[in-house]
Amino acid sequence: MIATLRYEFLMQIRRPSLWIVYGLVFALLLITMPFWSLDMGLPLEGGTARQDMTTAAMILITLLPVVYGCMLADRPGRDRLLHVDGVLDATPTSGTARLLGKWAGVCLATAVPFAIAYFGRAVLWAVTEGDPAALGWAVVTFLAMIVPGLLFLGALAFAGSLVMPSIMFRVVFVAYWFWGNLIPPNTMPTLAHTIFSATGDYVRWGLLHPLPSGMVAYGEATLDVLRPAHSPATAWLWIAVMIALAAVLLSVVRLHALRRES
Amino acid sequence: MRIDVTGLTKTYKGGVRALDDLTLTIPTGMYGLLGANGAGKTTLLRILAGLLHPTEGRVVIGGHDVTTQEGKPAVQRKLGYLPQNLGVYPDLTARAFLDYIALLKGLHNRSGRRRRVTELLEVVALTDAADRRLKGFSGGMLRRVGIAQALLADPELLIVDEPTTGLDPEERIRFRTLLSRLAGDRTVLLSTHIVDDVAQTCRTLAVLANGRLAFQGSVTDLVSVANGRVWTVTTNGPPPTEGRVVSALPEAAGMRYRVVSRQSPDLSAKPAEPTLEDGYLALMDQVPV
Ligand SMILES: Nc1ncnc2c1ncn2[C@@H]1O[C@H](COP(=O)(O)OP(=O)(O)O)[C@@H](O)[C@H]1O
Ligand SMILES: [Mg+2]
């Protein structure tokens, strides 16, 4: 598992297109979002390291997962496409270990530019505000609010590779991202802002930056059953849901591979 | 390492029966597996390597049943496998690719693994290209990377599926010689549709036709299948209609045809010494389609 993790990580992180595409989208974020301005353009009561780090995460999470999903898309089917699968399958390392290693390695590598952008912002904040606490909050926020969603999205790409070619997955994924995560839920039925959405809203509002009591994020919408109130408990629930979904998707991928052997 | 295949049948999902009740014993040493395209060679080798489950039958390799959950890794620890169309990661160097496969094969000791990789790069004459990315490698070089990865764990069983296809004559000969050298006290199972590859390297072989065993035995036994059935006919007229024409060579007196046939194809036909290719063709004429 570690061997596959290591080599899949290496192959992915050395891909020039990974850095180019992330760079372009990040540039777009800089131009259109207040990410880089030191007060982040948000007049929330803000100003504390904890709140600003949460806001910074929220801003990145609007668009960077699109790059993340698209850059991951071709990885699951790559061994077969390159005809390396025969050699790999003939080794005594189990298919399950290799699948987990590949998933972890590829997710990790594809999250590196994301992490660089985020922690870069945190360092800048810590320096200009003279408050190193930002770095600690950045770590917590990244792990709690961003990573669970990325693990789930990674598994989604693996499952997607079972049913469609990577090019098509990218198109579907971009559509899914905007429909299932970003659009306000009162415009149409959507998974956005539910406990199944990958944006980390629940950790943001439930754990890191609680909304003033009585304030709700959105008005009435369909599928509100999937939108329990923000609280620390639902924040942890969201993390558990993301990990459980990833586990289910990866199991499906593994079972599918076992069936192909027969 | 001995391989016992018993009643092996493989029916693919589309209904193609690639192997049909195959029973076969493969001893230690170099062993040829000959058959036309589509005969079922790759299917058999993939089952032996643990990549594919048979529909029916048993495969015992060195005492382990490869079709079982416990047997498969036990066999794979002693296995080197060069698939028919081997692919590599174009963005890795030859050395990194071998290092990765070595790790998957359980060579966890770092310095030992590095030494083994360097050693094998030397064996396949790729030392100079070791640190170049695989995307620039020629077909022959990739095949050599393929054999190097198969040898990493010093396997007792080496399975190579059509390793000489697409190589130029010199490369082919070099590759064949390398395989023979590797045989020694391990089992090398060489699948090919090229009769000459087997003739130059193996003493024993099996012939597959339509998923069934058409022949099992020594090379000389297969040659003798064509005893008394090989003829040469030299004529200016049309080619002989009886039997199967193996070759046609223009000569001063006309065209000289080599024919495999039960009866003399022509009054002027002279009997000739059979080769392995003649034996193979004579055998194919007997095989029910
Ligand atoms: N994955 C597959 N699905 C369905 N049919 C297959 C598959 N692989 C091979 N076959 C069929 O099985 C038969 C044997 O193929 P194969 O084992 O590749 O033969 P060989 O290696 O001797 O050329 C052929 O008819 C081939 O078309
Ligand atoms: Mg084949």
Side-chain angles (χ1 to χ4, degrees):
Chain A
M1 182 180 145
I2 300 297
T4 308
L5 191 159
R6 185 171 131 200
Y7 273 97
E8 289 289 345
F9 177 87
L10 267 181
M11 287 190 277
Q12 175 76 331
I13 203 146
R14 286 198 200 135
R15 248 173 120 180
S17 58
L18 179 77
W19 298 95
I20 293 168
V21 179
Y22 261 116
L24 291 176
V25 174
F26 185 62
L28 183 74
L29 269 182
L30 287 192
I31 296 167
T32 57
M33 299 279 231
F35 179 67
W36 218 240
S37 72
L38 293 178
D39 61 356
M40 305 200 187
L42 291 180
L44 284 171
E45 70 270 45
T48 72
R50 172 172 168 172
Q51 285 163 351
D52 279 358
M53 286 306 105
T54 321
T55 311
M58 189 275 288
I59 291 170
L60 283 186
I61 232 171
T62 53
L63 279 189
L64 291 196
V66 173
V67 184
Y68 176 85
C70 289
M71 293 315 295
L72 261 165
D74 66 329
R75 297 286 119 171
R78 187 166 179 252
D79 295 343
R80 270 169 77 78
L81 222 57
L82 292 173
H83 300 292
V84 190
D85 54 338
V87 166
L88 303 180
D89 289 341
T91 64
T93 302
S94 81
T96 308
R98 278 193 290 118
L99 173 65
L100 290 177
K102 189 183 183 86
W103 168 72
V106 162
C107 287
L108 201 61
T110 317
V112 164
F114 200 137
I116 290 177
Y118 182 66
F119 288 107
R121 183 68 186 83
V123 169
L124 195 66
W125 198 97
V127 170
T128 53
E129 306 289 310
D131 184 358
L135 300 179
W137 283 113
V139 171
V140 171
T141 306
F142 194 76
L143 289 179
M145 184 173 155
I146 296 179
V147 167
L150 295 187
L151 293 179
F152 158 67
L153 294 176
L156 191 65
F158 277 75
S161 74
L162 300 183
V163 283
M164 61 186 104
S166 60
I167 301 277
M168 204 207 262
F169 178 80
R170 291 185 176 126
V171 176
V172 172
F173 182 80
V174 173
Y176 154 76
W177 183 253
F178 286 99
W179 167 79
N181 294 282
L182 296 186
I183 61 165
N186 44 13
T187 53
M188 65 172 89
T190 169
L191 284 178
H193 311 286
T194 66
I195 198 89
F196 295 113
S197 146
T199 47
D201 279 8
Y202 274 91
V203 168
R204 182 189 182 198
W205 301 122
L207 211 53
L208 297 171
H209 191 175
L211 283 176
S213 63
M215 185 174 159
V216 282
Y218 298 96
E220 297 238 322
T222 43
L223 291 180
D224 268 350
V225 273
L226 300 178
R227 295 187 187 91
H230 299 289
S231 72
T234 51
W236 289 108
L237 176 67
W238 174 78
I239 292 176
V241 165
M242 287 296 110
I243 291 170
L245 282 177
V248 168
L249 290 170
L250 290 176
S251 309
V252 169
V253 173
R254 184 63 193 133
L255 287 177
H256 184 270
L258 284 174
R259 263 194 45 202
R260 198 149 46 195
E261 279 177 21
S262 65
Chain B
M1 195 141 94
R2 186 183 140 116
I3 304 174
D4 286 299
V5 174
T6 320
L8 195 64
T9 297
K10 176 68 197 181
T11 311
Y12 282 111
K13 285 207 186 76
V16 181
R17 177 162 289 208
L19 293 177
D20 191 358
D21 196 19
L22 190 73
T23 297
L24 177 66
T25 298
I26 298 169
T28 302
M30 187 93 185
Y31 195 87
L33 186 65
L34 196 57
N37 286 322
K41 303 181 297 296
T42 297
T43 304
L44 173 61
L45 298 190
R46 286 175 59 83
I47 292 174
L48 295 183
L51 307 184
L52 198 64
H53 270 293
T55 314
E56 266 174 70
R58 264 165 62 84
V59 179
V60 179
I61 301 178
H64 302 284
D65 187 341
V66 74
T67 60
T68 62
Q69 204 70 49
E70 312 78 51
K72 182 170 131 176
V75 168
Q76 289 182 330
R77 270 189 280 277
K78 301 174 180 174
L79 169 75
Y81 173 57
L82 176 56
Q84 178 161 10
N85 47 9
L86 164 88
V88 294
Y89 294 116
D91 42 342
L92 290 185
T93 65
R95 194 188 297 282
F97 182 70
L98 292 178
D99 184 70
Y100 179 29
I101 305 297
L103 277 166
L104 293 180
K105 290 193 177 196
L107 280 71
H108 294 300
N109 176 295
R110 193 187 168 102
S111 60
R113 188 172 70 243
R114 288 196 173 160
R115 208 172 327 115
R116 183 72 182 144
V117 167
T118 305
E119 200 175 288
L120 283 172
L121 284 164
E122 182 86 47
V123 169
V124 297
L126 283 176
T127 303
D128 292 339
D131 297 304
R132 274 174 30 205
R133 296 202 177 193
L134 290 165
K135 75 175 135 212
F137 277 37
S138 71
M141 290 164 86
L142 285 178
R143 215 65 62 90
R144 280 184 273 151
V145 173
I147 198 72
Q149 68 74 28
L151 290 171
L152 279 166
D154 197 13
E156 287 173 51
L157 170 62
L158 189 58
I159 293 180
V160 286
D161 196 355
E162 310 248 9
T164 60
T165 322
L167 297 188
D168 66 41
E170 257 179 80
E171 275 178 328
R172 221 171 102 193
I173 291 166
R174 212 179 312 135
F175 204 88
R176 267 185 343 211
T177 322
L178 175 62
L179 284 180
S180 302
R181 230 180 341 117
L182 292 171
D185 53 1
R186 60 183 123 217
T187 301
V188 177
L189 187 52
L190 167 71
S191 129
T192 179
H193 64 273
I194 303 168
V195 178
D196 201 38
D197 284 346
V198 172
Q200 302 299 332
T201 52
C202 304
R203 292 205 184 284
T204 47
L205 80 160
V207 178
L208 280 189
N210 307 313
R212 281 186 285 260
L213 188 67
F215 175 89
Q216 172 176 19
S218 70
V219 167
T220 43
D221 287 345
L222 183 52
V223 173
S224 62
V225 172
N227 273 346
R229 288 162 65 174
V230 186
W231 313 84
T232 56
V233 181
T234 308
T235 169
N236 275 315
T241 49
E242 182 80 19
R244 207 198 284 233
V245 175
V246 185
S247 66
L249 202 66
E251 286 195 336
M255 209 58 147
R256 194 180 69 186
Y257 295 99
R258 188 178 171 90
V259 183
V260 175
S261 161
R262 279 172 197 275
Q263 292 101 34
S264 165
D266 190 284
L267 284 178
S268 66
K270 293 193 191 72
E273 268 307 294
T275 64
L276 185 61
E277 192 167 45
D278 302 328
Y280 175 72
L281 290 172
L283 181 75
M284 286 299 116
D285 283 341
Q286 300 171 354
V287 171
V289 185

